[in-house]
Amino acid sequence: MASEPRASRAIEVEINGERYEREVPARRLLVHFLRDDLDLTGTHIGCDTGNCGACTVLLDGDPVKSCMLLAVQADGASLRTIEGLAPNGELTPLQRSFNEHHALQCGYCTPGMLMSATALLERTSSPSEEDVRYALQGNICRCTGYVNIVEAVVAVGEGTSGG
Ligand code: FES
Ligand code: FES
């Protein structure tokens, strides 16, 4: 006889350098775990269907859409969210560059954009415009037209902004 699926499971994750041990419902999405259980509300929900990228976080260094993962799938992983970029209130060069280039308007997409761009800059220190557009293809912005966002990321790699 097939066993019943477990309703909840204990997980252990590191988020922004802090360790969390929690019992989570087996079907709880990672984005809801972050926002509702841990109050890390900087990670946004735009579509809930994997299309917009507003919920992007870094899982073991790679950008993932946290509305497409279960919290239990992050068990044992190291996560970074937007709250982890400037833990003491000092903005990263990338965040300063977004500010300098007016790379946001309403700001709803910005946490996801920043996490995807952070992952890119950690892999490729001087990304080309093409590299940036490729890395951000899963992040939708309804306001800016993308040009200033791309310029902001390229400028960090060139060392001409955010320093
Ligand atoms: Fe996850 Fe849109 S909320 S991709
Ligand atoms: Fe409004 Fe990107 S700044 S959605």
Side-chain angles (χ1 to χ4, degrees):
M1 192 171 99
S3 58
E4 287 288 312
R6 276 190 289 168
S8 66
R9 214 180 103 180
I11 64 169
E12 192 176 333
V13 287
E14 186 187 291
I15 304 173
N16 303 327
E18 207 171 310
R19 209 156 194 76
Y20 295 85
E21 291 177 37
R22 291 287 191 283
E23 184 85 17
V24 291
R27 294 184 179 182
R28 193 157 197 69
L29 292 174
L30 179 57
V31 69
H32 294 146
F33 174 64
L34 293 170
R35 290 177 52 85
D36 301 337
D37 293 359
L38 305 184
D39 210 22
L40 294 170
T41 54
T43 299
H44 289 166
I45 301 173
C47 64
D48 230 351
T49 53
N51 291 304
C52 75
C55 65
T56 303
V57 299
L58 303 190
L59 185 136
D60 293 332
D62 293 324
V64 296
K65 293 176 175 173
S66 58
C67 74
M68 291 283 99
L69 284 177
L70 297 169
V72 295
Q73 290 176 289
D75 186 24
S78 172
L79 293 165
R80 266 187 291 161
T81 69
I82 188 69
E83 289 86 354
L85 287 194
N88 302 316
E90 183 170 342
L91 300 181
T92 64
L94 179 63
Q95 288 172 307
R96 289 198 293 276
S97 188
F98 263 56
N99 187 27
E100 288 162 22
H101 285 84
H102 308 289
L104 61 143
Q105 290 179 26
C106 79
Y108 203 82
C109 69
T110 309
M113 288 284 182
L114 287 168
M115 298 317 290
S116 292
T118 294
L120 171 66
L121 287 164
E122 288 176 357
R123 283 196 309 271
T124 310
S125 57
S126 297
S128 65
E129 178 182 334
E130 194 184 358
D131 293 334
V132 175
R133 288 189 180 277
Y134 186 80
L136 298 183
Q137 64 183 330
N139 293 83
I140 292 174
C141 177
R142 301 292 296 269
C143 306
T144 64
Y146 303 99
V147 172
N148 291 8
I149 292 174
V150 173
E151 284 179 1
V153 181
V154 169
V156 173
E158 290 173 342
T160 55
S161 184

